Amino acid sequence: MSKALPVPAKRHLPSKEATLFKELLTLYETRQLKKGLKTADQILKKFPEHGETICMKGLLLTHMGRREEGIDFVKKGVKLDLTSHIVWHVFGLIQKGEKNYEEALKSYTQALRFDKENLNILRDAAQLQTQLRLFDALVETRHTLLKIRPSLRQHWIALAVAYHLNGNLSEARKTLEHYERTLKNVADYDIEHSETLLYHVRILEEMEDYSEALSLLDVNSKSRAIVDRTAIMECRARLLSKLKSDEAEHAWRALIEHNPDCYDYYRGYFSNQGLSLENSSQEALDILRQFSSQLSKATAPRRLALTIATGDEFRDLAKSYLLSGLTKGIPSLFVDVKSLYTNASKRDVIEELAEAARVEFTPSSDTPPSSAEDTDPTIYLWTLYFLAQHHSYLGRPKKALETITIALEHTPTLPEVHTCKARILKRAGDLLGAAKSVNDARLLDGQDRFLNTKCAKYLLRAGCVEEASNMLGLFTKKDAVSPGADLEDMQSLLYLMEEADAHYRNGKPNLALKKYHAVQKVFNEIEDDQYDFHGYNLRKFTLNIYMKLVKWEDQLRSHPAHVKAALSASRIYIKIHDDPSIATAITSSPQLTGAEKKAKKKAKKAAQKVQEEPKKGPTPSANEDKGLEPVQPKDDDPEGLKLIGVSDPLEQAFKLLQPLTTLVTDNIDVWTVVYDVAIRRKKYLQALQALNHARALNVEHPEVHVRSMHFRQTIDTLPEEPPAPIGPLLKEVAQKVVPEGLSILTFNGQYLQRHISEPLAVLAAAKVAHGLKEPVQEVEQVVFGVLGEGTQLDIPTALKVLEFLTEIKSGRVEEFRSVCNKQFEISTVFKPLTELEALQKRTLSGEEEEKEEDISPA
């Protein structure tokens, strides 16, 4: 056994001061901060270089909001006593509060060198190791905790979880078995014990020891040690299926009867029977019919039957299903069945049935209704509502508008009909008309937060950022700096993404970047928030849900909002790198319009209000604990000018894209943007790797074609070949991209011929031609191929073509805009700028007039 280190002379305190120091620790733990500070000053009067007291004083000051002063004291205390576990523990607490987990763990490790069995330090270190996913070290720390306090249940479970996270299931199993053998006199209906047993079953299931798992589950469910009946039924059915037991069918049936509208239970039942719910099967259809007759109120079996039924059987089932939904007035009926539209014959049958229902339920129809109940006039309304969505989804905006107009004439007071019209107009390209329609829906119920949010979203889509902010302000906190600031605090990804996109479309990339970075900040906060759960879930024994949480957090940055924000921000950084004048023009204080001046003045007033509020408020208590986390710094870049004026835009983009390369490997957009950044950074191997990933996903994808040709052109025109082995490898791959004997121009022409009817592919071929310095007239000729016969040009693609023509300074921009304006009659996005501005003013002025009559929500 090693000797204890002697106490340094500077650390030794006489009896009186030693008692005061113990009192200081107690005062900190009970958060009596002012008394604690006085006690620390008493000690420091006699011993001004007592490192531990100086650190504790720094910790108290930090909790009291005097952060900078407190951190200086802590650093000074550490320097004065490098062998004290207290100073390192305090330093670790400060670093943890700053979210600097790596450095905090180093400080805890130092603290443990001088006090190996300190429970508080060990627990904190274990949480940090889990946060940083250092599972080998976590197992050691949990072992140490268990050796010190083997009587604490939590330590046994924590060790099992640590083994599980580290992938050592056999040791996790042994730990749980040993723990269960030590238990005595467990109370009835003990939730914590129940959760532990379910976790044990999960471990056995993951080890594929299904018999043992089933035995453990059955024994403990019969003795009522496991109290979650639904979890027992689900585990049992799953285990019996894996064991291929005859009892599995009964177990799945019991689950279906328990919750007849859970689709997962039906999938489990049919999977156990060796049947698929994706492909046509008469046997599966017969079983679903049985379930439908036995569970008359359940919709799941009837909906699943539509997926696998064909021909006349499908027609009969679809008729029953649709009429039931229309009679009950289910607004989500179309959303429910639209997944069937991938099958053209089913889509046609649904349209035929819906049209027949329309004829049958038309008030002036000569066809007698099938029953007295069907005379309800709302059935006709919901039929029109369904058909309008149907036609809109299939790209028939005129027919959809005609149908929804009849519905509006029938019942002008139903918000769903107005929102349906808005959706039709949005898809048809009339964003201002869509915003007006959804505002009409909002005015029918000013208290409805959903309609308010929907209205603001459509205003943002139409580019009306200020109006959308005012709309959102009806439901945000009245004392917030602005509606946007409140929604950012509430982590509203919908708002942040929509406003960012709106700013980008309005030609304000600085404000767009600001919002995209706000999305990144939200995900950083979610990642940090998991820290507290590493301890909480073990204390509450919610182990199964905790394992799901850890797995979900590991995939957090694959969330669609994070992916889109990272890609959009990276594209802006690429544009800034390619054309620095974009950033220069924005940061050189341009002349503001009247509306912008007004908005800026409003923002300034709001900021002043925030600064004045603390002065007006009550004086905070001296003992008020402000925590260890730093106060949110004041936003010194509200316009995003610093973000867009960075000196290293490509490095910023690289940081944003880094997590996506491991989490979102099946997204072509990710790899094309990674390629764009890498090739500009002259990281040719990274560019090659990204290109190979993209080509493996879809070599014929338009954006992949553009990058492939760019890569070949870049490698061919390098001033000097990179050193071996990189140079020869790049040349070899570049030769494979374009077959030997073909020029890039010829290969591009062949690609165009293969995809002549695909607008995006035609645009890709034009981009390649432009990259090869072909004459603008030839590039324009290729681009206008999107208007040829047989090409299915849609509005988003047409807007991309328009953007490309603008970028290359084509003289035929207005010609293309005019053709699209005629082709997409309902759309307003292709109208001349002056006409569009006038239309926007008319729409917004109409909304203002209505708003005056509207009663704001309380």
Side-chain angles (χ1 to χ4, degrees), residues 55 58 80 157 215 311 385 527 530 534 562 610 652 690 785 793:
C55 274
L80 289 169
I157 302 306
S215 172
Y385 180 73
E527 197 167 51
Q530 69 171 304
H534 299 314
H562 178 268
V610 173
Q652 299 300 320
L793 181 65

Side-chain angles (χ1 to χ4, degrees), residues 89-108:
H89 190 188
V90 170
F91 197 32
L93 287 170
I94 295 289
Q95 290 165 324
K96 185 180 75 177
E98 293 175 338
K99 314 287 191 224
N100 191 350
Y101 300 120
E102 290 88 352
E103 292 302 316
L105 184 57
K106 288 177 186 176
S107 296
Y108 282 125

Side-chain angles (χ1 to χ4, degrees), residues 309-558:
T310 55
D312 291 337
E313 281 184 313
F314 173 78
R315 178 181 290 276
D316 294 339
L317 291 168
K319 184 176 181 180
S320 169
Y321 193 81
L322 289 175
L323 288 176
S324 172
L326 294 172
T327 305
K328 291 175 182 175
I330 299 173
S332 60
L333 180 61
F334 176 76
V335 177
D336 184 16
V337 300
K338 73 178 180 183
S339 58
L340 298 169
Y341 283 33
T342 51
N343 185 316
S345 61
K346 289 185 178 182
R347 182 184 66 215
D348 294 341
V349 168
I350 289 172
E351 181 172 343
E352 191 182 320
L353 290 169
E355 289 289 358
R358 176 183 181 172
V359 172
E360 182 180 350
F361 298 123
T362 302
S364 59
S365 173
D366 296 330
T367 310
S370 53
S371 70
E373 187 184 12
D374 291 344
T375 57
D376 185 348
T378 59
I379 302 173
Y380 175 62
L381 173 66
W382 291 115
T383 306
L384 292 171
Y385 180 73
F386 180 90
L387 276 168
Q389 293 178 90
H390 167 84
H391 292 308
S392 176
Y393 184 76
L394 296 178
R396 306 168 189 163
K398 283 186 179 179
K399 207 164 185 180
L401 277 173
E402 286 171 12
T403 309
I404 205 65
T405 302
I406 297 168
L408 280 167
E409 289 169 359
H410 183 278
T411 309
T413 55
L414 185 67
E416 282 86 348
V417 181
H418 290 278
T419 55
C420 180
K421 184 181 178 182
R423 203 155 43 245
I424 294 164
L425 290 170
K426 178 197 72 174
R427 287 178 181 162
D430 183 3
L431 300 177
L432 290 167
K436 186 180 183 307
S437 289
V438 81
N439 189 55
D440 291 341
R442 183 190 70 83
L443 291 170
L444 292 170
D445 187 356
Q447 303 281 342
D448 193 318
R449 188 189 290 263
F450 168 76
L451 291 174
N452 175 271
T453 306
K454 199 77 170 170
C455 185
K457 177 183 171 182
Y458 273 58
L459 283 168
L460 287 170
R461 294 267 176 95
C464 309
V465 178
E466 187 67 27
E467 291 75 13
S469 179
N470 294 335
M471 190 68 66
L472 290 164
L474 295 173
F475 280 92
T476 53
K477 290 178 183 174
K478 300 304 173 191
D479 58 347
V481 180
S482 67
D486 185 38
L487 288 165
E488 192 171 323
D489 288 342
M490 299 272 283
Q491 300 183 334
S492 172
L493 294 174
L494 168 73
Y495 158 74
L496 291 171
M497 290 303 302
E498 289 293 344
E499 183 161 332
D501 293 345
H503 283 310
Y504 185 72
R505 288 191 297 269
N506 288 347
K508 296 178 181 176
N510 52 316
L511 293 174
L513 261 183
K514 184 77 180 169
K515 292 301 175 188
Y516 289 134
H517 275 279
V519 173
Q520 297 287 325
K521 183 183 165 190
V522 168
F523 283 91
N524 291 339
E525 288 171 359
I526 293 171
E527 197 167 51
D528 289 333
D529 287 344
Q530 69 171 304
Y531 178 84
D532 293 328
F533 287 93
H534 299 314
Y536 174 84
N537 287 90
L538 292 174
R539 289 197 304 276
K540 297 294 182 181
F541 286 77
T542 52
L543 306 175
N544 288 297
I545 202 70
Y546 172 64
M547 295 306 293
K548 288 181 183 177
L549 169 72
V550 172
K551 192 175 179 182
W552 180 81
E553 287 280 359
D554 288 340
Q555 299 294 317
L556 175 65
R557 293 186 188 273
S558 64

Side-chain angles (χ1 to χ4, degrees), residues 640-656:
L641 300 178
K642 289 182 180 178
L643 285 173
I644 204 159
V646 291
S647 57
D648 56 346
L650 292 181
E651 295 302 320
Q652 299 300 320
F654 176 72
K655 287 176 189 174
L656 291 173

Side-chain angles (χ1 to χ4, degrees), residues 3 86 189 211 287 291 302 424 561 652 659 696 698 701 754:
K3 285 185 179 180
I86 290 176
Y189 300 102
S211 299
I287 295 169
F291 279 127
R302 294 191 293 124
I424 294 164
Q652 299 300 320
N698 184 358
H701 190 281
R754 287 200 302 275

Side-chain angles (χ1 to χ4, degrees), residues 204-350:
L204 293 169
E205 186 178 353
E206 287 186 20
M207 291 179 72
E208 299 184 2
D209 191 349
Y210 304 129
S211 299
E212 184 66 28
L214 184 62
S215 172
L216 180 69
L217 182 70
D218 284 345
V219 168
N220 287 289
S221 60
K222 284 171 185 172
S223 65
R224 297 190 178 179
I226 300 176
V227 298
D228 188 340
R229 308 313 296 172
T230 303
I232 292 168
M233 293 170 76
E234 288 176 349
C235 280
R236 199 163 190 281
R238 202 166 55 243
L239 291 168
L240 287 168
S241 288
K242 288 174 179 176
L243 288 166
K244 302 191 185 316
S245 168
D246 294 338
E247 295 178 50
E249 183 183 351
H250 175 72
W252 284 112
R253 277 189 177 273
L255 271 173
I256 289 169
E257 288 169 10
H258 178 68
N259 183 358
D261 277 315
C262 179
Y263 284 77
D264 286 339
Y265 294 165
Y266 290 96
R267 290 188 188 102
Y269 178 87
F270 283 97
S271 176
N272 179 66
Q273 299 290 96
L275 299 170
S276 171
L277 283 171
E278 302 302 322
N279 304 316
S280 179
S281 164
Q282 190 58 46
E283 186 181 350
L285 189 58
D286 291 340
I287 295 169
L288 285 169
R289 284 182 186 276
Q290 289 174 17
F291 279 127
S292 297
S293 59
Q294 291 167 7
L295 309 163
S296 56
K297 292 185 179 179
T299 58
R302 294 191 293 124
R303 174 61 187 83
L304 287 168
L306 295 179
T307 305
I308 58 176
T310 55
D312 291 337
E313 281 184 313
F314 173 78
R315 178 181 290 276
D316 294 339
L317 291 168
K319 184 176 181 180
S320 169
Y321 193 81
L322 289 175
L323 288 176
S324 172
L326 294 172
T327 305
K328 291 175 182 175
I330 299 173
S332 60
L333 180 61
F334 176 76
V335 177
D336 184 16
V337 300
K338 73 178 180 183
S339 58
L340 298 169
Y341 283 33
T342 51
N343 185 316
S345 61
K346 289 185 178 182
R347 182 184 66 215
D348 294 341
V349 168
I350 289 172

